[in-house]
């Protein structure tokens, strides 16, 4: 099967440095949402389109940050899948704890660099507007909104919980003191707790974008936790089988 090992529900769109970039079907929801909040404001249609493209590009550059650092450790990236709350790079092999720390940090670092670059440019061009003015999208504050978008992307991804990059950083640090699957379970539980808190806050403040994000965080964390659980179960089964084999071997020479 051509799609073997690739994420279901996604379509291949293009390749960057040999890595296929695929859109998950839920990504369409984000585009519809951004169009919905973008239209009717004071910005032109071109600005709305540019803003969406710039954020898409920023998420992609974030993922390529992971891809490049992973490649430095000799880990090829199988695919990059774009979800509404960000992308996911799927490496060919799981990185070791020490490698994972740097691969995870590379993504948010790209967003922080983009934000810093645009901020520096705006400052030099004297195009600075106040943060409250950014709440109303106009053509003039487009660049700064892209900078803020990147800051939010960077900060959100640094939250120390799965499936965010910060969760991977936390896991690679925990893995120095504890078995790896235990570190994964702790980080996945943190992710689920954070998602529940975020979801409740979103419901109470009727911010449905937050509820939507919380849902994705919860599902992502649950998936990672389940994968760690599977690995643990597999190890227990292997151990059991090894014991049975040893017992069977012991039984042969014994004639008692
Ligand atoms: Zn990332």
């Amino acid at each position: 099967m051509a799609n073997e090992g690739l994420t279901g529900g996604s379509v291949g769109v293009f390749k960057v440095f040999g890595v296929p970039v695929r859109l998950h079907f839920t990504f369409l929801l984000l585009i519809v949402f951004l169009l919905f909040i973008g239209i009717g404001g004071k910005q032109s249609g071109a600005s709305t389109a540019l803003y969406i493209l710039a954020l898409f590009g920023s998420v992609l550059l974030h993922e390529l940050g992971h891809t490049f650092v992973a490649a430095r450790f000799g880990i090829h990236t199988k695919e990059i899948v774009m979800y509404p709350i960000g992308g996911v790079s799927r490496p060919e092999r799981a990185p070791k704890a020490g490698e994972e720390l740097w691969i995870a940090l590379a993504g948010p670092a790209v967003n922080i660099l983009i934000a810093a670059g645009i901020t520096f440019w705006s400052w030099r061009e004297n195009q600075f507007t106040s943060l409250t003015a950014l709440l109303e999208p106009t053509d003039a504050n487009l660049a700064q909104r892209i900078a803020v978008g990147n800051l939010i992307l960077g900060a959100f991804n640094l939250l120390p919980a799965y499936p965010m990059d910060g969760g991977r950083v936390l896991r690679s640090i925990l893995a120095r003191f504890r078995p790896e699957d235990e570190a994964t379970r702790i980080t996945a539980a943190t992710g689920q707790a954070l998602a529940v808190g975020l979801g409740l806050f979103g419901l109470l403040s009727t911010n449905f974008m937050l509820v939507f994000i919380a849902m994705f965080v919860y599902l992502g964390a649950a998936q990672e936790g389940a994968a760690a659980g599977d690995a643990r179960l597999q190890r227990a089964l292997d151990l059991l089988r090894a014991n049975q084999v040893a017992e069977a071997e012991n039984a042969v020479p014994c004639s008692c």
Side-chain angles (χ1 to χ4, degrees):
M1 237 170 74
N3 270 355
E4 208 167 54
L6 297 175
T7 304
S10 61
V11 286
V13 181
F14 51 88
K15 276 190 174 189
V16 187
F17 301 110
V19 179
V21 177
R22 301 157 67 81
L23 289 190
H24 195 255
F25 75 96
T26 50
F27 195 84
L28 284 174
L29 295 175
L30 178 73
I31 294 177
V32 170
F33 176 78
L34 286 176
L35 281 173
F36 183 71
I37 57 165
I39 288 170
K42 279 188 183 164
Q43 67 176 341
S44 61
S47 265
T48 305
L50 214 61
Y51 181 69
I52 294 174
L53 268 178
L55 284 192
F56 179 83
S58 303
V59 171
L60 188 58
L61 285 172
H62 169 117
E63 293 312 317
L64 288 174
H66 292 311
T67 304
F68 276 118
V69 177
R72 285 191 65 95
F73 291 115
I75 305 171
H76 178 70
T77 301
K78 248 190 321 197
E79 59 170 356
I80 292 173
V81 186
M82 305 290 279
Y83 289 94
I85 63 161
V88 171
S89 305
R90 296 189 58 213
E92 224 157 40
R93 71 162 169 88
K96 295 182 200 113
E99 300 169 337
E100 190 176 37
L101 177 77
W102 300 109
I103 297 171
L105 284 175
V110 168
N111 296 121
I112 291 164
L113 278 177
I114 295 173
I118 296 176
T119 306
F120 181 68
W121 175 83
S122 312
W123 170 72
R124 280 201 37 183
E125 301 284 310
N126 266 329
Q127 290 209 355
F128 244 39
T129 41
S130 69
L131 274 180
T132 43
L134 291 183
L135 288 174
E136 184 160 40
T138 65
D139 289 359
N141 64 24
L142 174 67
Q144 266 180 279
R145 278 185 290 125
I146 295 170
V148 170
N150 270 280
L151 266 189
I152 294 172
L153 270 174
F156 178 73
N157 272 293
L158 282 175
L159 287 176
Y162 257 152
M164 273 74 73
D165 295 322
R168 290 174 205 286
V169 172
L170 176 67
R171 188 181 83 136
S172 64
I173 294 169
L174 283 176
R176 290 173 193 218
F177 314 104
R178 286 159 188 267
E180 209 154 312
D181 48 357
E182 198 185 329
T184 306
R185 268 183 302 120
I186 295 172
T187 324
T190 320
Q192 283 172 306
L194 177 90
V196 169
L198 204 66
L200 280 178
F201 180 76
L203 278 177
L204 291 176
S205 59
T206 59
N207 185 338
F208 293 110
M209 186 67 185
L210 270 186
V211 179
F212 184 65
I213 291 172
M215 228 166 60
F216 271 87
V217 172
Y218 190 90
L219 290 176
Q223 221 169 33
E224 297 277 0
D230 286 352
R232 215 157 58 108
L233 187 68
Q234 191 57 48
R235 257 217 319 278
L237 284 173
D238 287 347
L239 198 69
L240 193 68
R241 204 165 299 133
N243 280 342
Q244 279 172 344
V245 169
E247 266 170 34
E249 277 170 354
N250 284 341
V252 177
C254 177
S255 53
C256 45

